Amino acid sequence: MLSNNPGPIGVFDSGYGGLTILHGIRQQLPQYDYLYLGDNARAPYGPRSFDVVYEFTRQAVTKLFEMGCHLVILGCNTASAKALRTIQQKDLPNIDPNRRVLGVIRPTAEVIGDLTKSRHVGVLATEGTIKSESYKLEIQKLHPDIEVSGVACPFWVPLVEYNEADSPGADYFVKKRIDQIMRLDPQIDTLILGCTHYPLLMPKILKYLPDGVRVVPQGEYVADSLAHYLERHPQIEQKCSKGATAHYLTTENPDKFKEQAQIFLHEPVEVENTTLE
């Protein structure tokens, strides 16, 4: 039986990247309680099939609901691309039609029309997100005149997670993918970082980006979108507890999570182990 009492806003990611989303949200909406769940034991989700990503994401959403969340943000592009719609349409009506699950792709798609002048946009993301074409579909649904090109960056996540984002070796992999997407469409003037790890590579990305091309990390846009969502849906907002706290759960080793969280958040965190099934 799910509790009807106010509870934290849940943020789910397959690993650590969603911490950049949580950081952006907490900066803008610090008054709420947050519960972050990282399925680190089964990460990465990027190369996995739609069915597997959906099943894992459904388990995580159910866990967060059981822990008192009425609203869950999928702070993971792969989960947003491969699982969000099915969970919203198929699972929520059965679990609890009054609870909500939101993703990170639509908020970015909504603002992109105001950011691009050339109407040519690039997406750098994991293989799973690129293959799903979720960004292209969402953007062209809202802005049919925008051309969208995507390139997968398979080595970028390990660079961040092994704390190599500042290393000389990272330059090769960052430059290679930026050159590739600009060759694909030289008219691109706006580049979406469609993976929550990628903002940690920002110094390298800016180093190799052509002049006049802007980069769109998602954190601030997801936070803006969430603030507007809560304004428009007071019945959900009232179910979000306000104690300005953040708690962290991982399906992996909590000590490893603490190390990685330092990279993403630059602050110590307390972490508990949990299981998903």
Side-chain angles (χ1 to χ4, degrees):
M1 186 71 180
L2 298 177
S3 168
N4 218 19
N5 296 328
I9 294 172
V11 178
F12 168 66
D13 186 32
S14 58
Y16 308 104
L19 292 168
T20 62
I21 298 294
L22 176 61
H23 179 69
I25 293 172
R26 285 189 74 200
Q27 287 208 305
Q28 190 158 332
L29 300 165
Q31 68 272 34
Y32 295 99
D33 293 316
Y34 296 94
L35 180 59
Y36 183 92
L37 170 56
D39 187 13
N40 307 87
R42 302 189 293 196
Y45 280 16
R48 293 186 182 271
S49 71
F50 271 72
D51 288 346
V52 169
V53 171
Y54 158 67
E55 185 56 33
F56 288 178
T57 306
R58 187 189 60 75
Q59 291 170 2
V61 167
T62 303
K63 168 70 84 173
L64 288 166
F65 284 164
E66 287 169 353
M67 298 192 74
C69 300
H70 293 264
L71 171 64
V72 173
I73 313 295
L74 301 185
C76 171
N77 285 273
T78 304
S80 296
K82 293 183 173 182
L84 176 63
R85 189 145 294 163
T86 309
I87 287 172
Q88 287 174 332
Q89 293 174 354
K90 180 179 144 190
D91 296 305
L92 279 184
N94 297 321
I95 298 171
D96 182 348
N98 296 313
R99 291 177 198 251
R100 295 289 179 271
V101 181
L102 306 175
V104 290
I105 292 175
R106 189 173 178 88
T108 315
E110 284 173 346
V111 298
I112 209 72
D114 297 329
L115 302 178
T116 173
K117 300 285 184 285
S118 70
R119 316 309 277 173
H120 289 254
V121 168
V123 180
L124 298 175
T126 63
E127 184 185 355
T129 300
I130 295 299
K131 277 188 175 169
S132 75
E133 295 203 322
S134 293
Y135 272 96
K136 186 172 188 169
L137 293 168
E138 279 296 335
I139 290 170
Q140 292 186 336
K141 202 188 299 174
L142 299 168
H143 315 285
D145 61 317
I146 293 180
E147 286 287 322
V148 182
S149 304
V151 164
C153 308
F155 293 105
W156 286 23
V157 167
L159 283 171
V160 171
E161 294 202 347
Y162 287 103
N163 213 3
E164 295 287 331
D166 297 327
S167 70
D171 287 71
Y172 170 80
F173 293 105
V174 171
K175 183 177 187 302
K176 181 177 182 179
R177 297 307 175 190
I178 287 175
D179 289 350
Q180 184 181 349
I181 200 158
M182 295 311 299
R183 276 199 308 273
L184 206 57
D185 183 356
Q187 291 187 66
I188 287 171
D189 72 347
T190 307
L191 200 55
I192 295 169
L193 302 185
C195 171
T196 50
H197 283 68
Y198 296 178
L200 279 80
L201 289 161
M202 191 66 87
K204 304 280 191 201
I205 292 167
L206 294 173
K207 182 175 171 183
Y208 295 110
L209 211 58
D211 288 342
V213 179
R214 76 185 294 165
V215 188
V216 180
Q218 297 170 298
E220 64 186 277
Y221 298 110
V222 173
D224 282 344
S225 179
L226 178 58
H228 292 140
Y229 181 87
L230 292 172
E231 281 171 22
R232 294 195 314 272
H233 298 86
Q235 75 281 15
I236 300 288
E237 196 278 336
Q238 286 155 20
K239 290 289 176 69
C240 300
S241 56
K242 300 170 187 69
T245 65
H247 294 283
Y248 301 87
L249 300 170
T250 176
T251 56
E252 243 279 6
N253 180 336
D255 291 333
K256 188 178 176 198
F257 188 99
K258 284 180 189 177
E259 272 176 44
Q260 290 288 327
Q262 288 276 19
I263 298 170
F264 287 87
L265 298 176
H266 309 295
E267 66 181 29
V269 300
E270 286 302 310
V271 192
E272 289 176 52
N273 187 253
T274 192
T275 53
L276 296 177
E277 54 193 40

